Amino acid sequence: MCAKVKYGIWNEKKPDMTSVNALVSAGYAPLSSMVLAARGIQNGTQAKTYLDRNAPLPDPFLMTDMALAAGRVALAIENKEKIAVFGDYDVDGITATCLLTDFLRRHGGSCVSYIPGRLEEGYGLNEIALRQLAAEGVRLVVTVDCGITAVEETALAKELGMDVVITDHHECKDTLPEAVAVVDPQRPDGGYEGRSLSGVGVAFKLVCALSGDPEQMLQDYADMVCLGTVADVIPLVGENRIFVHRGLAALNTRPRPGVTALIAQCGITPGTITATTIGYMLAPRINAAGRMGQIDAAVELFLTEDPQRAEEAARELCELNRQRQTIESEIYRQAVEQ
């Protein structure tokens, strides 16, 4: 079945009516039953599992190379090696960078964060950044939300005396980087059930592996995982549903100082945050830092414990977002003229 919509043709999957009737009989509303059936859910038992927001999280060590990644990071902490968390400049990458940086610092790691300049360096690991980090004494680079295609860059890091641990969620190419560990749920040899994790979701699984306490990690970081997962438009299936459920609760009851300040700057009533609020109000402002080449404000927003600095970072993000809107409007005007 096809439907004409503003942006073209959408293919609509027709639900199996036997499954719809079974779901209605199990107590689900007719419309919900049709949506669930269209997604392959056949009965009430499957629906309960699919919608469960309180199921135990899968063991992080089920992910290929997770033991190697956690072991190398733990060794770096123990030996006081300087660690660089290397991320991306969108919301998913920023939250992943801040999550892992915060965890490592709280657990005694000598850690710096590095997010490349969008205009000067582009996306992902690059020679400029690696040479700078090596000169600063970094001995371990941990990527988040990037790195899965960085074959040459990983080889360069090794030449410069640095080990690399890659955590990413993007599709793998035929050749993987020769890193100490390559943690990516998309790996064809992975077998991990949660293949649709976000970049911050994979970073979260790493800290779960390091801490051994997934419940405490949810309490500490569900808000960041929720923000990155929603902003990256990751399907809310499996543990992603748990991340967003727990994260929304955290954002509405105990947001960290930077998020509290950003909520206030956006004029959002505290305690009313939804996935829509993230997608249309919070995420664009966090994204603006990367788009406008001033990423430090977004990193500060998540890492600062100082309410005054948090307010300054939130105001800066809102101003950067207004500048972004002005520039994009001008680009659109010029395009229409041409």
Side-chain angles (χ1 to χ4, degrees):
M1 178 180 178
C2 293
K4 280 192 174 183
V5 291
K6 181 178 179 182
Y7 298 107
I9 301 295
W10 286 6
N11 292 321
E12 298 179 18
K13 187 173 182 180
K14 187 175 181 180
D16 175 67
M17 292 311 298
T18 301
S19 299
V20 172
N21 292 333
L23 290 162
V24 170
S25 298
Y28 293 92
L31 181 57
S32 299
S33 298
M34 292 181 69
V35 173
L36 289 167
R39 296 183 181 185
I41 307 301
Q42 298 178 334
N43 53 56
T45 301
Q46 291 181 0
K48 184 178 180 180
T49 300
Y50 182 81
L51 297 172
D52 191 358
R53 302 173 299 180
N54 298 298
L57 294 176
D59 184 346
F61 290 104
L62 295 174
M63 201 175 295
T64 301
D65 275 7
M66 182 61 82
L68 293 172
R72 182 62 184 90
V73 174
L75 183 64
I77 296 173
E78 180 181 349
N79 292 339
K80 304 298 182 182
E81 296 178 81
K82 192 170 184 179
I83 306 168
V85 178
F86 194 105
D88 187 20
Y89 37 68
D90 65 357
V91 178
D92 190 20
I94 293 166
T95 51
T97 302
C98 293
L99 185 157
L100 186 55
T101 298
D102 183 78
F103 175 87
L104 293 175
R105 289 175 177 173
R106 288 178 185 271
H107 289 79
S110 173
C111 178
V112 296
S113 61
Y114 191 102
I115 297 176
R118 185 187 190 108
L119 301 178
E120 300 85 3
E121 301 172 69
Y123 168 81
L125 285 176
N126 61 84
E127 181 177 352
I128 294 173
L130 290 172
R131 292 192 181 279
Q132 176 182 326
L133 292 172
E136 293 175 359
V138 169
R139 289 296 169 260
L140 174 63
V141 178
V142 184
T143 74
V144 290
D145 193 31
C146 64
I148 197 63
T149 62
V151 175
E152 294 180 2
E153 292 81 1
T154 300
L156 173 61
K158 187 175 181 180
E159 290 177 13
L160 295 171
M162 297 184 293
D163 284 342
V164 178
V165 167
I166 290 171
T167 77
D168 201 348
H169 72 123
H170 295 101
E171 185 176 345
C172 304
K173 304 300 182 184
D174 293 337
T175 302
L176 295 178
E178 292 186 5
V180 173
V182 179
V183 180
D184 189 327
Q186 298 286 348
R187 283 185 62 162
D189 60 345
Y192 188 73
E193 60 182 89
R195 292 176 62 86
S196 61
L197 288 176
S198 61
V200 68
V202 180
F204 175 80
K205 300 302 288 188
L206 175 58
V207 302
C208 287
L210 287 164
S211 72
D213 191 348
E215 177 56 34
Q216 183 61 53
M217 293 302 97
L218 272 175
Q219 292 184 34
D220 292 346
Y221 300 116
D223 59 336
M224 291 193 195
V225 186
C226 172
L227 285 164
T229 298
V230 173
D232 228 42
V233 200
I234 303 297
L236 296 190
V237 295
E239 56 194 313
N240 291 331
R241 186 175 293 275
I242 300 170
F243 294 155
V244 173
H245 171 63
R246 292 288 296 270
L248 288 175
L251 289 167
N252 282 310
T253 58
R254 47 183 175 82
R256 61 190 69 236
V259 178
T260 299
L262 187 60
I263 290 170
Q265 286 291 322
C266 293
I268 301 167
T269 303
T272 64
I273 304 297
T274 65
T276 300
T277 314
I278 294 172
Y280 288 94
M281 300 190 76
L282 299 180
R285 287 162 173 80
I286 299 168
N287 260 330
R291 290 179 180 272
M292 300 301 292
Q294 299 186 44
I295 200 67
D296 289 348
V299 174
E300 184 75 6
L301 186 86
F302 288 107
L303 294 182
T304 187
E305 295 293 334
D306 180 355
Q308 181 176 349
R309 181 63 193 113
E311 185 176 343
E312 293 170 358
R315 282 202 305 267
E316 185 175 350
L317 289 179
C318 289
E319 176 57 29
L320 289 171
N321 191 52
R322 285 189 286 270
Q323 293 176 19
R324 173 194 63 81
Q325 291 171 327
T326 300
I327 292 170
E328 288 184 356
S329 295
E330 176 61 18
I331 291 171
Y332 177 76
R333 185 192 65 76
Q334 292 178 14
V336 170
E337 281 187 0
Q338 292 179 27

